[in-house]
Structures are given as structure tokens and as C-alpha cells.
Amino acid sequence: MIKISKEQSFYIKGASLLFFILIYWLTLAPSQLGGPLTYVIVNGKSMEPGFILGDLVLVREEPVYSAGDAVVYHDPELQQFVFHRVVGMETDRFILQGDNNGWFDSYRPTQNEIVGKLWLHVPNFGKL
């Protein structure tokens, strides 16, 4: 059996805490603070039934997006983030549509205008 002094225990606890903070930062920190994720709360019905009002979606920037990906982009016409699905491409712009919509989005973002692709979906968490 190995004996650990109080001082060694303090350093082990401190190192463990730093390790967990680093893991958190690398996986869950918001992009506004330099992390990899953008947190978005669903605020409409366009992505029902899979995503409903008040759901929290976490998105990560990806090097490539393709048809079927659920992504977030900032619509300059609406002045808000939009969470919709990529349904196609038109030259260098993405065609997007809400899962519950019968029409395509009027704004067609470029690769650089997409904030990120769905990484994690937390139902109802945005209501908290």
C-alpha cells in the first residue's frame, strides 16, 4: 500500500481539477470564450418533430458540410441564428430547409457563413 501525504494529496487533487477543466474546455466550452462549440436554443417549429421549441443544440465547426447535415448559420435578413438542414448546393452556396418546412430558406449561406454542424442535441434543456 502506498502512503500519500496531505501535501501530495493536495497536488493530486489540483492536477485532477486542472485535467478536468482542460477536458471541459477542449470539448464543451462555448465559441464566444474560445471553445469549439456554439450553443443554440431552438426557437421555432421548422425542425419538428426531431427538434422542438426549447431544445438545446450544440454545433461544431466542420471543414466540410453536405446534404443531410443539420447546421446553424446566421441569417443577415432575419438577424438571428437559423438551425436547418442542408438539402443541396448551388455553386458555392448551401440550400437549406427546415425539416417541417415545405420551402427552402431564402438565404443561402456559404461555407464560411455556417457556424457549425449538429454535435449534440439536448431536448428541453433550453427551457431551463
Side-chain angles (χ1 to χ4, degrees):
M1 182 170 190
I2 300 173
K3 284 208 157 211
I4 298 174
S5 70
K6 287 184 180 182
E7 185 177 321
Q8 290 171 322
S9 175
F10 174 78
Y11 288 122
I12 291 171
K13 288 177 184 175
S16 297
L17 179 62
L18 285 175
F19 174 75
F20 285 113
I21 290 171
L22 177 65
I23 295 301
Y24 164 78
W25 197 260
L26 292 174
T27 57
L28 297 174
S31 59
Q32 297 89 335
L33 299 176
L37 297 177
T38 300
Y39 291 63
V40 178
I41 298 172
V42 175
N43 68 353
K45 297 181 178 186
S46 65
M47 289 297 281
E48 288 182 353
F51 304 90
I52 62 170
L53 182 70
D55 284 0
L56 175 67
V57 292
L58 284 67
V59 298
R60 300 183 88 117
E61 186 177 350
E62 297 288 337
V64 177
Y65 302 102
S66 58
D69 291 344
V71 299
V72 170
Y73 70 94
H74 186 267
D75 187 320
E77 297 165 5
L78 299 175
Q79 292 296 309
Q80 65 182 8
F81 287 109
V82 177
F83 175 61
H84 280 171
R85 196 168 304 278
V86 175
V87 294
M89 291 284 297
E90 183 178 76
T91 60
D92 67 336
R93 296 190 171 270
F94 291 93
I95 301 169
L96 292 111
Q97 180 180 29
D99 291 350
N100 193 34
N101 291 349
W103 62 90
F104 299 129
D105 295 3
S106 60
Y107 187 74
R108 302 209 167 150
T110 63
Q111 173 83 20
N112 293 337
E113 292 175 307
I114 292 183
V115 175
K117 176 181 170 181
L118 177 65
W119 182 70
L120 183 67
H121 172 216
V122 186
N124 295 311
F125 195 78
K127 291 178 181 176
L128 295 178

